Amino acid sequence: MFKLSVIIPAAGSGVRMGSDIPKPFLKVGNRTILEHTISRFLEIPELIEIIIATSKDHISDIHSIFERISGGVILKVVEGGSERQFSIYNALKEISDEATLVGVHDAVRPFIRPKLIIECCNIAEEYGGAVLGVPAKDTIKQVNDKNVIKATPDRSFLWQAQTPQVFQKKLLKKAYESALKSDFIGTDDASLVERIGGEVQMVEGDRENLKITYPVDLKIAELILGTNR
């Protein structure tokens, strides 16, 4: 049986939300987005720790949030880096020896379903890595540097990647070490694992698992929360 450590990068700003408050600390209902997100993972029996990467100014805020909802799971907080990838690398250094799987999840995806987290873990345990995602619903266009359309990829093979992305601990650490040595910056964690030849399976999720990035997303989040209640 796997033992899961989850890394949550929570160092993002609120610029695209038009707010001085970083996105993870904005509220949906009467709880912060981060609090909603953490709560979903606390429903996983195999979870042994949560490691949150954030800015120095918000470390105490995270401890306060966790004290309200921890449920006995270990919390570790690390300072984030200049890029998301560096924040996760800092967190990887704190992973427990006991963990067999490492999940990475966006702080601002508060509606992840626990059963989908478990499904990703089961797939990662078997194959090496698993990424939650949904099939692309829009036609995708590839353009050049002048915005001239050059190709229309076959949508049936295109997926929108979400999080969590879950990997065997040794595989993810190897991928991050390799990227660091080569000064490679990936678009997500899976891209680093793919780069070293690791197998990553796509797991179909759902569209409620939205990433809250813009003001309209906050409105949608309130609707989802109301429906789930």
Side-chain angles (χ1 to χ4, degrees):
M1 178 61 69
F2 65 84
K3 292 187 178 181
L4 178 65
S5 177
V6 172
I7 295 171
I8 301 178
S13 71
V15 172
R16 283 183 286 185
M17 294 292 293
S19 172
D20 293 331
I21 302 172
K23 288 178 292 183
F25 302 100
L26 294 172
K27 287 193 173 183
V28 175
N30 60 359
R31 304 169 87 187
T32 64
I33 294 171
L34 180 59
E35 194 169 344
H36 285 289
T37 301
I38 291 170
S39 295
R40 296 300 178 107
F41 281 91
L42 292 177
E43 295 184 39
I44 308 303
E46 296 82 5
L47 178 70
I48 61 171
E49 65 184 356
I50 293 177
I51 305 172
I52 299 178
T54 191
S55 63
K56 190 184 300 184
D57 294 340
H58 291 283
I59 290 175
S60 61
D61 295 329
I62 287 174
H63 281 290
S64 296
I65 287 172
F66 209 77
E67 284 172 7
R68 296 197 295 269
I69 61 173
S70 66
V73 171
I74 294 169
L75 170 71
K76 299 173 183 176
V77 185
V78 300
E79 190 172 345
S82 58
E83 300 272 355
R84 179 183 186 274
Q85 186 168 313
F86 301 142
S87 295
I88 294 169
Y89 182 71
N90 290 346
L92 275 172
K93 297 174 186 176
E94 302 298 325
I95 294 290
S96 167
D97 291 339
E98 188 182 357
T100 59
L101 297 179
V102 179
V104 182
H105 187 70
D106 297 322
V108 289
R109 289 188 189 271
F111 300 118
I112 176 62
R113 297 182 192 275
K115 69 176 183 178
L116 293 175
I117 300 170
I118 292 172
E119 187 173 352
C120 284
C121 290
N122 289 333
I123 294 293
E125 190 173 35
E126 181 174 357
Y127 293 100
V131 170
L132 200 67
V134 291
K137 64 179 180 179
D138 297 319
T139 297
I140 305 298
K141 297 292 185 181
Q142 181 181 340
V143 302
N144 64 14
D145 57 358
K146 296 181 180 178
N147 284 345
V148 175
I149 294 171
K150 305 303 291 183
T152 304
D154 184 349
R155 189 173 65 189
S156 63
F157 293 100
L158 298 175
W159 287 63
Q160 296 168 239
Q162 301 178 341
T163 64
Q165 300 191 0
V166 183
F167 308 91
Q168 293 172 9
K169 179 174 64 177
K170 289 182 180 179
L171 179 61
L172 187 61
K173 283 190 169 183
K174 181 180 177 181
Y176 265 85
E177 292 290 350
S178 176
L180 183 67
K181 289 176 183 176
S182 304
D183 292 324
F184 176 81
I185 301 294
T187 54
D188 64 356
D189 305 283
S191 67
L192 304 189
V193 174
E194 294 158 27
R195 177 176 172 271
I196 63 167
E199 182 173 346
V200 184
Q201 293 272 332
M202 184 65 78
V203 177
E204 185 164 2
D206 62 52
R207 298 185 189 276
E208 278 196 6
N209 186 29
L210 85 162
K211 185 177 183 180
I212 300 175
T213 306
Y214 299 102
V216 66
D217 300 325
L218 205 54
K219 294 178 182 178
I220 294 169
E222 292 285 0
L223 291 172
I224 293 172
L225 183 62
T227 301
N228 288 346
R229 281 174 180 161

